[in-house]
Amino acid sequence: MAASCVALVAVVLLLLLPVVLLGLWKRGQQTGRARHVVVVVLGDVGRSPRMQYHALSLAQSGFSVTLLGFYNSKPRDELLKSERIQIVKLTDLQGLGAGPRILQYGVKVVFQAVYLLWKMMCTDPAAYIFLQNPPGLPAIAVCWFVGCICGSKLVIDWHNYGYSIMGLVHGPRHPIVLLAKWLVFRRYEKFFGRLSDLNLCVTNAMREDLAENWCVRAVTLYDKPASFFKETPLDLQHELFMKLSRTYSPFQSCSEPSDSDTERSAFTERDCQSGVVRRLHGRPALLVSSTSWTEDEDFSILLRALEKFEQRALTGDSLPSLVCVITGKGPLREHYRHLISQKHLQHVQFCTPWLEAEDYPLLLGSADLGVCLHMSSSGLDLPMKVVDMFGCSLPVCAVNFQCLHELVKHGENGLVFTDAEELATQLQMLFSKFPDPAGKLSQFRKKLQESEQLRWDESWQQTVLPLVTHK
């Protein structure tokens, strides 16, 4: 047994020797390294907006950037067109259908560790490695190892904790989750968090938790809307609605215009001769929610609230019809689409599209109300979707959790609810006599328009740029 262990260690060291030698050679290549950064996300780049923003901000600040991640969804055009950003596509391990789940997970971790190590050693020498966590297993260890042998500083951007994300899938008391929490993530993330050169996090609550429980010092970098999240001009709204109407019936007009020179959606119409666009009288209200369709968002709350809204609309309350658009991809999408298909409401229509990256800000900037059902698995992160909605001056109703007050101020820039009954009451209040310029919905929008919201680029330059240019 001892001989076998010695042999295994010898094989591992033999395999790592070329990697170490290559790393030491790269450490000596000083030319260009100070202005090169590697950004790593062991997830879908297209669905990792914060890491895309990091890459863009680094590029705009004069760094060359290598972005490593899975390429399941198209990133933003700015990222693809930037001459300073190179995207290296990672391949996920698929088809592990045999054996115990914990064994499958172990094999996947080993594969990802070797594969990520190989990919990172093939990149140019870098001054910094920016890493999104979670997922941090095995990425944190690999990035730290590469940093050690290549002379790169490791920057961990803490979005959440690995064990809390795993608990969403299996349940917080599942043996695998408890094992992961106490024997893997708690010690693994804590150990490497202390070894990293710089830690960023998304809330003050997470910063305090990292400091008190893990002795990890972090800098809070709040998610902020990018500059392209803004109110959509009416003519662009109409173009978007007409585009969506070709695929999704809720965006189609209920009646054909009498004038052949007029084109009409469910919300707007355009005079093709003059180009003038106007909102339709009696149009439905547009309610938007975005999601990754995972266990941390219970959309049954919204469905029950809309059923209650329907009942109140049928009793004669002055309420508009609603078009409810829920965007995103994820594992529970088909589950909820099946539940939605069973709803037969007279005053509510549903639409569950996957939008192009450039269309999503236009939709938020065209909507009347945003709804957020994000329930933080750790209670320490904030929903980026609300940040984007606020950037578009879109009023929001958000389900409450521990640190939501760092973003949503109830009654000031939005409303907070705890259950379907409370959300239904809020919808009734906000949409009463819609569109009422003196109503609460218009008041919230006006406050958001008047507020001086810090954008991502400004926040990043104030918070992160001094840290990565400090000599």
Side-chain angles (χ1 to χ4, degrees), residues 87-105:
I87 299 179
V88 176
K89 301 177 183 178
L90 301 180
T91 302
D92 200 3
L93 184 62
Q94 304 289 344
L96 287 176
R101 181 174 295 176
I102 192 168
L103 178 62
Q104 295 180 39
Y105 187 68

Side-chain angles (χ1 to χ4, degrees), residues 113-324:
V114 175
Y115 180 61
L116 181 60
L117 177 62
W118 170 57
K119 283 289 189 179
M120 293 189 70
M121 294 306 299
C122 291
T123 63
D124 293 332
Y128 291 93
I129 300 171
F130 273 64
L131 172 66
Q132 172 182 296
N133 182 66
L137 186 67
I140 302 181
V142 173
C143 290
W144 171 80
F145 178 70
V146 171
C148 286
I149 62 174
C150 296
S152 306
K153 293 183 178 180
L154 176 60
V155 181
I156 301 178
D157 192 0
W158 298 82
H159 297 198
N160 217 314
Y161 297 138
Y163 71 87
S164 65
I165 297 295
M166 183 178 285
L168 291 174
V169 179
H170 304 291
R173 307 304 300 173
H174 192 284
I176 291 181
V177 176
L178 294 177
L179 179 67
K181 179 178 180 179
W182 297 112
L183 297 182
V184 182
F185 289 109
R186 274 288 189 181
R187 286 160 176 77
Y188 171 82
E189 290 180 328
K190 179 178 181 179
F191 177 76
F192 284 104
R194 290 177 174 179
L195 293 178
S196 63
D197 298 280
L198 176 63
N199 292 279
L200 305 173
C201 62
V202 293
T203 63
N204 286 332
M206 178 169 282
R207 183 195 67 197
E208 294 167 3
D209 188 75
L210 285 168
E212 292 174 8
N213 298 319
W214 296 17
C215 297
V216 172
R217 296 181 61 186
V219 175
T220 302
L221 175 66
Y222 281 115
D223 284 324
K224 297 293 181 181
S227 58
F228 46 78
F229 283 100
K230 55 189 176 182
E231 290 187 81
T232 306
L234 190 57
D235 58 335
L236 293 183
Q237 289 187 33
H238 179 73
E239 290 180 15
L240 176 66
F241 295 151
M242 293 303 298
K243 176 181 178 179
L244 293 174
S245 71
R246 292 192 283 271
T247 307
Y248 306 104
S249 59
F251 287 90
Q252 297 172 2
S253 173
C254 296
S255 60
E256 290 296 325
S258 56
D259 188 345
S260 60
D261 289 330
T262 301
E263 63 178 15
R264 182 180 294 169
S265 71
F267 305 91
T268 54
E269 68 176 13
R270 175 178 178 268
D271 186 316
C272 297
Q273 290 188 340
S274 66
V276 174
V277 177
R278 70 178 185 89
R279 291 186 175 89
L280 292 178
H281 177 72
R283 68 178 178 89
L286 180 55
L287 183 152
V288 173
S289 186
S290 58
T291 177
S292 54
W293 294 113
T294 51
E295 289 82 356
D296 61 350
E297 293 176 296
D298 184 2
F299 269 84
S300 64
I301 295 175
L302 177 59
L303 298 183
R304 292 196 303 272
L306 290 174
E307 286 180 317
K308 295 177 185 296
F309 179 89
E310 167 92 354
Q311 293 168 6
R312 296 171 190 183
L314 291 174
T315 61
D317 286 349
S318 181
L319 297 173
S321 295
L322 291 181
V323 172
C324 177

